[in-house]
Amino acid sequence: MNLPTRTTASEALMANALRVLAMDAVEAAQSGHPGAPMGLADVATVLFNRFMKLDPAEPGWPDRDRFVMSAGHGSMLVYAINHLLGYDDMEAEQLRNFRQLGSRTAGHPEYGHAKGIETTTGPLGQGVSTAVGMALAERMLNARFGDELVDHWTYVLAGDGCLMEGISHEATDLAGHLSLGRLIVFWDDNRITIDGATELSTSTDQQARFAAAGWHVQAIDGHDTDAIAAAITAARADERPSMIACRTVIGKGAPNKAGSHKVHGAPLGAEEVAATREALGWSFAPFEVPAEVRMAWEAVATNGAADRAAWQQRKGAHPLAAEFDRAFGPVDGKALAEAMTAHKVRVSAEAPKVATRKASELALEVVNATLPNSVGGSADLTGSNNTRSSAMRPVTRQDYGGDYIHYGVREHAMAAAMNGIALHGGLRPYGGTFLVFADYCRPAIRLSALMGVPVTYVMTHDSIGLGEDGPTHQPVETIASLRAMPNLTVIRPADAVETAEAWEIAATSVDTPTLLCLSRQGLPTHRRVHSDENRTRSGAYLLRPTSGARDVTLIATGSEVEIAVAAAGLLEAQGIAAAVVSAPSFELFAEQDAAYRAAVLGNAPRLGIEAAVAQGWREILGEGGAFVGMTGFGASAPAADLYRHFGISAEAVAEAAQRLIAKTA
Ligand SMILES: Cc1ncc(C[n+]2csc(CCOP(=O)(O)OP(=O)(O)O)c2C)c(N)n1
Ligand SMILES: [Mg+2]
């Protein structure tokens, strides 16, 4: 391969510009991490100067290379690079206002805050794992659209911390297994973390570890520009994912503090800043960059613009151009709504008694047949999560043309990889595990929510209703904890109709991830009269109205809606008018206007029913409300026995309703 040598003469200067900008911005903020940017400046310079394909004028260009700063505390490196590349939203003013309210230069790089930030990083290990999803998406789209349209690389800078984190072990294992050759990880091997030398806490042979997982591994001096370039060239030539161990000095350039954990996360101080300028021979004022350096960095952008123009031309003449644009464009919500309405007509007529995990599979047949860029998967629970629809076929290292990913027993990496797939664009991922293991992926779910990427989590076995597997597998606090997370839509559908509606919401979401809580056990179809309207979208609605004034309102979710309906029947026999509200999504209900919410909730006393803890219900139930659910962990037994044992039954609900009415009267 004939690799470009764009501007080599001034690479040392280009790198020093990054060092000084990072050092000065941290000094101005009196907060931040100068060590990693200064140590990684040479690696970053060679990568961008000789290899990266990007166009700051078109930051979303689908065939750009992806750059992930997994060591997110080194955010100033990203901001300095993007400033020098000429991104129009990363002016010097942004660097001067590093870490200040309202600036784009947040403490850690945040997706959506500024152009050229491919993913939010900071929670160590997430970046490298998200990048695995990006590199996988690249191969999957390459299989669909070919080299002319999809042919790019994912580059990651990861520190000691990223590689220590458990998620990186899951993710690198998966990347090696799938032989994601378009992924190149630079390990910032500076042997320093916050507490001091890495020998305090790790003895892992990282090179051996990556080699064991099927990676191509090299080790270089991370300050030798030619060695860096040669290693990247060799990495690109190898079919496997590559790890380049870059031996670096943290805070390189600072004469007295380099190499010490003291430069990890504190300003250098005026004296050391001056000494660094002196040592680097840098005579320019803070945020002043000499024209020669600026031009060298801008040449990278100019080259990238030419690459982008050539790609645009190729795409213009490509037979798959329209399909490609559709994959990267908005979801065809109209087509899905039509298909899902037809499905709902069938389901409400047939009224199957199925678990909502099975109903989810039925809905997925519709979603996946309608949206060709839907990508499924499960963390080794495919048969239990019902995530694989009939026409799906697995993605393998030999054939990336499939649309179903066996993530293995790696929940956290699955969630992070799904973020990466969604961020990459062109594909819409969903993936399954047991709801109780949401905690095994929570940090990545949190990033989906924070970034606003429309990933769908298919979480089955959502209560004690899973039965014999027992309390290790029975979520009780999980749903409440997920409802506490901002910008996550949690939906716990009650039957096959609500499940279809939930999938329509999830599959068309633009900037909110969706988490479906689905039952293991069979549930009756409550909605037997078809309505075109997606009632789940309102979050909660009157499922069983009363003929006259209500004496009590029973509000339930998921599998407990059946119990609420039965309890309403018992109460009716006693002359008590009980309305039943199905409340599949608290978040969607909170978005409705006050009049709608008041009409649904009514003025009668309210009783909530959910086989989970009461936390989070008060907003719906009000001060005077009552709750039937769980107060501690579950147990191992058949589901029906457990519901009886824990007092979650139609009889118990009817009694609780009577007590509530008596108390309020
Ligand atoms: C999940 C997580 N745990 C802890 C932290 C806090 N933290 C930030 S940087 C860091 C040390 C990172 O060491 P390394 O990756 O070697 O970075 P370097 O000091 O070399 O810049 C820690 C513990 C974090 N950001 N994320
Ligand atoms: Mg380190």
Side-chain angles (χ1 to χ4, degrees):
M1 206 181 319
N2 197 8
L3 285 165
T5 321
R6 283 169 186 156
T7 317
T8 44
S10 56
E11 269 178 348
L13 282 180
M14 292 170 79
N16 283 344
L18 298 176
R19 291 191 167 95
V20 173
L21 286 173
M23 161 182 95
D24 286 344
V26 171
E27 202 62 25
Q30 280 299 298
S31 162
H33 301 75
M38 295 175 83
L40 283 167
D42 298 307
V43 171
T45 296
V46 173
L47 172 63
F48 277 81
N49 190 38
R50 305 198 208 179
F51 298 92
M52 278 295 286
K53 185 175 73 168
L54 55 88
D55 180 3
E58 283 286 338
W61 166 33
D63 200 34
R64 71 192 181 280
D65 289 339
R66 306 303 197 266
F67 173 69
V68 174
M69 182 66 188
S70 192
H73 55 280
S75 56
M76 256 319 298
L77 182 66
V78 181
Y79 305 143
I81 291 170
N82 289 359
H83 169 67
L84 292 172
L85 287 173
Y87 279 89
D88 62 8
D89 63 350
M90 197 48 71
E91 322 86 329
E93 203 50 28
Q94 290 295 330
L95 306 187
R96 280 197 194 93
N97 287 306
F98 178 49
R99 295 190 151 220
Q100 304 309 306
L101 192 64
S103 73
R104 295 187 192 96
T105 44
H108 295 84
E110 289 191 51
Y111 175 71
H113 278 222
K115 298 173 185 174
I117 298 173
E118 301 284 1
T119 182
T120 295
T121 52
L124 297 171
Q126 291 291 333
V128 62
S129 311
T130 304
V132 168
M134 293 177 180
L136 175 57
E138 193 274 348
R139 282 296 88 186
M140 289 175 69
L141 289 163
N142 173 274
R144 287 162 165 75
F145 296 106
D147 290 344
E148 300 230 298
L149 296 184
V150 184
D151 182 15
H152 55 266
W153 298 82
T154 301
Y155 297 104
V156 182
L157 302 188
D160 301 299
C162 287
L163 298 197
M164 277 193 227
E165 289 292 349
I167 188 174
S168 80
H169 289 258
E170 295 181 20
T172 53
D173 186 10
L174 180 62
H177 174 72
L178 289 171
S179 199
L180 300 179
R182 292 308 181 104
L183 177 63
I184 298 181
V185 174
F186 301 89
W187 168 33
D188 184 19
D189 178 15
N190 61 19
R191 302 186 191 174
I192 292 288
T193 62
I194 290 179
D195 276 5
T198 48
E199 66 187 21
L200 287 170
S201 57
T202 179
S203 321
T204 292
D205 179 342
Q206 295 289 3
Q207 296 178 45
R209 164 199 163 187
F210 276 82
W215 287 56
H216 169 243
V217 177
Q218 303 171 82
I220 57 163
D221 172 351
H223 301 299
D224 177 338
T225 51
D226 286 336
I228 298 165
I232 298 174
T233 304
R236 288 167 50 126
D238 196 279
E239 284 180 351
R240 296 165 290 176
S242 280
M243 191 276 260
I244 306 174
C246 305
R247 186 70 182 97
T248 61
V249 177
I250 189 169
K252 172 137 177 109
N256 306 302
K257 292 191 171 175
S260 145
H261 67 118
K262 296 196 181 89
V263 288
H264 162 87
L268 297 183
E271 217 171 289
E272 184 72 354
V273 165
T276 305
R277 276 198 155 66
E278 180 79 29
L280 296 177
W282 194 269
S283 55
F284 308 97
F287 308 108
E288 184 188 335
V289 179
E292 179 191 359
V293 173
R294 230 175 243 296
M295 278 164 56
W297 275 100
E298 278 165 13
V300 175
T302 310
N303 280 316
D307 286 338
R308 202 256 306 160
W311 178 86
Q312 212 90 45
Q313 206 153 29
R314 282 200 304 279
K315 196 190 78 162
H318 201 284
L320 295 175
E323 204 179 312
F324 183 88
D325 287 343
R326 267 199 301 280
F328 277 82
V331 173
D332 189 347
K334 197 164 162 279
L336 186 62
E338 272 168 28
M340 210 49 104
T341 299
H343 174 65
K344 275 170 55 183
V345 168
R346 276 195 305 276
V347 172
S348 40
E350 289 166 14
K353 180 167 177 163
V354 290
T356 47
R357 63 178 171 140
K358 178 68 187 172
S360 169
E361 183 184 330
L362 300 175
L364 274 171
E365 292 290 349
V366 179
V367 171
N368 293 338
T370 314
L371 307 178
N373 63 350
S374 181
V375 173
S378 167
D380 199 45
L381 287 168
T382 296
S384 300
N385 301 145
N386 299 62
T387 32
R388 184 172 163 180
S389 61
S390 55
M392 283 186 141
R393 62 192 181 89
V395 175
T396 68
R397 64 199 296 172
Q398 290 84 22
D399 177 13
Y400 297 107
D403 49 9
Y404 192 82
I405 301 162
H406 291 283
Y407 289 102
V409 193
R410 304 184 188 96
E411 296 82 10
H412 201 177
M414 171 177 75
M418 289 202 293
N419 282 339
I421 293 169
L423 288 164
H424 181 279
L427 299 169
R428 284 189 70 101
Y430 69 85
T433 184
F434 290 151
L435 178 59
V436 80
F437 302 136
D439 289 342
Y440 269 60
C441 20
R442 192 173 177 99
I445 299 176
R446 191 167 186 274
L447 282 185
S448 316
L450 177 61
M451 290 190 281
V453 291
V455 168
T456 303
Y457 295 93
V458 183
M459 303 238 156
T460 68
H461 298 58
D462 69 351
S463 75
I464 53 165
L466 67 86
E468 293 84 347
D469 272 345
T472 54
H473 285 52
Q474 292 160 354
V476 285
E477 80 290 13
T478 317
I479 300 173
S481 77
L482 291 164
R483 284 183 184 138
M485 194 182 287
N487 196 41
L488 174 69
T489 304
V490 179
I491 310 182
R492 187 165 188 251
D495 69 1
V497 177
E498 282 190 7
T499 306
E501 293 175 339
W503 260 113
E504 190 186 334
I505 293 164
T508 54
S509 174
V510 176
D511 52 17
T512 303
T514 308
L515 190 144
L516 306 178
C517 305
L518 303 169
S519 76
R520 171 180 185 250
Q521 71 274 34
L523 301 174
T525 299
H526 303 289
R527 298 259 302 277
R528 295 178 182 214
V529 178
H530 170 74
S531 82
D532 276 358
E533 186 199 351
N534 185 328
R535 303 192 77 185
T536 300
R537 207 181 282 284
S538 62
Y541 61 93
L542 207 50
L543 177 68
R544 186 187 194 274
T546 51
S547 47
R550 301 184 205 174
D551 295 317
V552 65
T553 301
L554 308 179
I555 307 168
T557 77
S559 44
E560 285 69 70
V561 169
E562 178 184 10
I563 293 171
V565 169
L570 296 178
L571 290 165
E572 191 178 5
Q574 296 166 41
I576 298 172
V580 176
V581 169
S582 179
S585 174
F586 287 14
E587 296 81 14
L588 295 176
F589 187 55
E591 284 173 13
Q592 307 308 309
D593 61 43
Y596 176 80
R597 278 184 286 140
V600 170
L601 296 176
N603 297 321
R606 296 170 203 157
L607 176 64
I609 308 123
E610 184 167 60
V613 297
Q615 203 169 349
W617 272 84
R618 183 174 294 190
E619 253 179 79
I620 284 186
L621 298 177
E623 285 298 324
F627 182 74
V628 171
M630 297 292 289
T631 52
F633 291 117
S636 172
D641 294 350
L642 290 174
Y643 271 92
R644 227 181 350 264
H645 175 75
F646 289 107
I648 308 173
S649 63
E651 293 73 22
V653 169
E655 280 166 30
Q658 280 169 319
R659 280 198 302 276
L660 180 64
I661 293 166
K663 197 175 90 184
T664 338

